[in-house]
Amino acid sequence: MNIRIEKAERLKKLPVYLFAELDNLKTEAKKKGIDIIDLGVGSPDLPAPSNIIKRAQDEIADKNNHGYPSYIGMIEFRKATASWYKERFNVNLDPETEILALIGSKEGIGHIPLAFINEGDVVLVPDPGYPVYQAGTVFAGGVPYFMPLLRENNFFPDFKKIDPKVLKKAKLMFINYPNNPTTAVANKEFFEEVVAFASKNNIIVCHDAAYSEIYYDKKIISFLEVDGAKDVGIEFHSFSKTYNMAGWRIGFAAGNKDILSGLGQIKTNLDSGIFQAVQLAAVEALRSPKQIKKEIVNVYQERRNLFVNGLKKLKWDVIYPEATFYVWVAVPKGLTSRELTTALIKECGIVATPGAGFGSAGEGYIRFSLTTEKKRLQEALDRIGKLKI
Ligand SMILES: *Cc1c(COP(=O)(O)O)cnc(C)c1O
């Protein structure tokens, strides 16, 4: 006889998966033989550059790389990361204590609440936002408090609006710029406000900088560039978007050593580090000629120009993306984000993500992902032009 299998309360506390319905519609459309253009997923469509692949191949062949790796990352990886930070952001980091290797930045983001959140502590979470901020918080027994990112505030949270009673219980906050899904970028003034707010209220800042290298018009700054940032927080970085290495699973966190030490302690008890061949391939990535990164960004820039101009010609209300490979678009009045994405699948065979799937403040928008070649984006525009809404 089968045992009764019941999921833990923490899983039941997660929000319903809004994208499930979209997946069903997609499968249905495919069955009908509709040619689907998938602008829903945020996974790069191009492979990692060949110098990185070559380095990984060489390192896999080296038997010295086959054992358990260091928990916090190879010193060679941490040193290369510190040099990259210095060159890219002019921020000094101690590779011994101020850098921690991660199995992709998602892993660190998901685990960090376990290191600092007690039952009932509040975590400030951007809405709309990457779902892992909420999931990690709930798994640690914390309570997410959603900070709406509104267009009239340039998609920055308004700290003045947070109830003082909530603030008292707040112990950690997530922010994310360049932002997924709104594509907003932060300026120095905003980061300074974050440092002042966090210092005053004793809140740990976790800045998710997964898209720091996918920018077009203006160089993206690091949270750690701001005075006092290292006293209050850390920054998460990813190789997934920058170097098309999403499946390789490597990222890192940098900044305050006590915060990193807490995260490191959780990780030491749960995982056993990142395959050394992958860490050394990431070192290769960081040391690649600038041209390599530029070529990757140029691909997205051409796609962005094509797609954004096309949507504008069709009179769509587009938030102009200065960074990330997403396009955040306002939904016409009278429709919900789900109604629009449903119409796009059924009538155009185009998959986009409803803003409501990223949180209630995402309602009123949908997200297109530019992880598809230009020819297909043009085809998508042609189909959208015929959509009757
Ligand atoms: C893709 C993404 C990540 C995760 O990247 P990995 O390094 O692959 O885990 C983190 N944050 C945001 C906002 C992302 O979009």
Side-chain angles (χ1 to χ4, degrees):
M1 215 169 67
N2 284 344
I3 56 161
R4 185 165 44 84
I5 296 170
E6 198 175 330
K7 287 181 183 163
E9 291 304 318
R10 70 178 62 83
L11 282 181
K12 295 180 195 161
K13 275 190 207 153
L14 292 181
V16 281
Y17 187 60
L18 254 195
F19 305 130
E21 186 188 303
L22 205 69
D23 279 346
N24 290 342
L25 286 172
K26 194 165 115 184
T27 314
E28 245 171 64
K30 264 193 193 147
K31 265 194 214 142
K32 281 188 198 148
I34 295 174
D35 166 38
I36 295 280
I37 304 176
D38 194 342
L39 309 182
V41 290
S43 179
D45 57 314
L46 295 171
S50 54
N51 63 314
I52 299 173
I53 296 174
K54 176 72 176 54
R55 178 74 186 265
Q57 286 170 328
D58 292 348
E59 298 298 344
I60 287 174
D62 182 345
K63 292 187 208 67
N64 293 322
N65 286 332
H66 291 197
Y68 281 120
S70 140
Y71 286 119
I72 57 174
M74 299 167 80
I75 187 64
E76 195 173 342
F77 173 79
R78 287 178 283 129
K79 279 187 174 160
T81 308
S83 307
W84 178 81
Y85 238 90
K86 177 69 184 164
E87 205 204 313
R88 170 71 178 83
F89 301 116
N90 198 26
V91 168
N92 294 307
L93 292 170
D94 178 356
E96 299 281 353
T97 55
E98 295 180 325
I99 290 168
L100 178 65
L102 299 172
I103 312 171
S105 58
K106 178 179 185 178
E107 180 262 308
I109 292 165
H111 280 147
I112 194 151
L114 288 177
F116 298 103
I117 294 304
N118 292 316
E119 199 72 32
D121 285 344
V122 168
V123 176
L124 305 178
V125 172
D127 170 14
Y130 187 56
V132 186
Y133 311 137
Q134 177 179 6
T137 299
V138 167
F139 288 169
V143 181
Y145 175 88
F146 296 102
M147 306 183 288
L149 308 183
L150 305 178
R151 192 176 189 173
E152 63 256 35
N153 298 333
N154 297 315
F155 301 106
F156 294 148
D158 185 351
F159 300 131
K160 293 188 295 296
K161 290 260 163 76
I162 303 172
D163 184 339
K165 283 206 273 303
V166 170
L167 268 188
K168 257 202 198 110
K169 288 195 228 156
K171 197 160 174 206
L172 189 148
M173 76 185 276
F174 288 104
I175 48 172
N176 163 225
Y177 295 95
N179 185 259
N180 173 14
T182 71
T183 73
V185 301
N187 51 29
K188 208 161 179 202
E189 292 69 41
F190 172 70
F191 282 150
E192 284 166 352
E193 193 191 337
V194 170
V195 170
F197 170 76
S199 310
K200 182 168 173 234
N201 297 291
N202 209 47
I203 293 172
I204 293 169
V205 177
C206 296
H207 179 235
D208 178 355
Y211 295 92
S212 71
E213 306 314 300
I214 312 291
Y215 58 84
Y216 307 114
D217 311 302
K218 229 176 28 217
K219 229 180 192 175
I220 294 303
I221 59 167
S222 159
F223 173 64
L224 299 181
E225 284 179 47
V226 170
D227 282 342
K230 223 198 262 180
D231 300 331
V232 299
I234 61 169
E235 186 159 74
F236 290 97
H237 283 272
S238 171
F239 291 79
S240 302
K241 320 288 161 54
T242 312
Y243 298 104
N244 295 333
M245 292 170 75
W248 296 52
R249 306 316 300 140
I250 182 158
F252 63 93
N256 185 284
K257 65 178 175 27
D258 299 323
I259 301 174
L260 292 178
S261 144
L263 176 56
Q265 206 178 336
I266 294 293
K267 283 172 57 56
T268 303
N269 285 286
L270 288 179
D271 70 61
S272 301
I274 304 142
F275 183 21
Q276 290 195 11
V278 171
Q279 292 192 52
L280 293 166
V283 169
E284 173 72 28
L286 291 173
R287 294 194 183 139
S288 305
K290 287 208 173 68
Q291 190 54 29
I292 291 208
K293 205 164 77 183
K294 199 151 186 283
E295 276 166 23
I296 292 174
V297 174
N298 282 348
V299 169
Y300 294 127
Q301 184 157 7
E302 284 186 14
R303 292 174 181 177
R304 176 200 65 165
N305 294 348
L306 173 94
F307 199 67
V308 168
N309 292 337
L311 286 179
K312 282 189 168 168
K313 267 193 206 130
L314 296 170
K315 302 275 182 271
W316 283 52
D317 181 9
V318 183
I319 313 296
Y320 186 77
E322 288 179 48
T324 77
F325 44 59
Y326 302 113
V327 182
W328 189 238
V329 180
V331 173
K333 286 226 157 49
L335 282 181
T336 66
S337 58
R338 260 161 99 193
E339 285 166 346
L340 181 55
T341 52
T342 302
L344 281 169
I345 291 196
K346 284 192 170 163
E347 292 176 41
C348 308
I350 295 170
V351 180
T353 312
F358 298 101
S360 58
E363 185 50 86
Y365 299 88
I366 64 170
R367 189 193 75 177
F368 292 105
S369 181
L370 300 172
T371 47
T372 303
E373 56 181 344
K374 274 199 296 186
K375 207 174 74 206
R376 297 291 283 167
L377 290 173
Q378 185 56 57
E379 167 72 18
L381 287 168
D382 295 343
R383 294 188 198 173
I384 291 172
K386 291 178 201 138
L387 178 70
K388 288 177 212 65
I389 42 170

